[in-house]
Amino acid sequence: MATIVVKQIGSPIRRPAKQRETLKGLGLNKMHRTRELEDTPSVRGMVNSIPHLVAIVEEKA
C-alpha cells in the first residue's frame, strides 16, 4: 500500500472553520508535525484543498 508523509507548514489561526477541520481530519494540529497517511483519493483531496497549510514531504510506494 502506498503512503504519503504530510507536514503542517501553516497555522490554522484566522482560517475558516472548514480548513481547521480538514487539518484535524488529517491528524494535524500543531506546526511542523508530520503524519504518514494512506495515499487514497480522499486524503489527496484533503491535502489539495489546503495547500497553503500542508506540504507533501515524501511519497512511499
Side-chain angles (χ1 to χ4, degrees):
M1 151 182 46
T3 60
I4 57 173
V5 178
V6 179
K7 180 177 183 178
Q8 182 175 344
I9 59 169
S11 172
I13 295 172
R14 297 186 62 186
R15 299 286 180 191
K18 188 165 183 145
Q19 292 180 7
R20 289 195 302 268
E21 293 298 320
T22 303
L23 274 177
K24 288 180 190 173
L26 289 170
L28 299 168
N29 61 352
K30 294 193 177 169
M31 291 289 292
H32 309 295
R33 289 219 174 148
T34 60
R35 284 290 308 262
E36 187 169 343
L37 304 165
E38 286 185 45
D39 191 5
T40 62
S42 60
V43 170
R44 285 284 181 162
M46 291 170 78
V47 170
N48 290 337
S49 70
I50 51 171
H52 53 288
L53 298 178
V54 297
I56 296 175
V57 178
E58 185 179 356
E59 296 185 30
K60 300 179 183 177

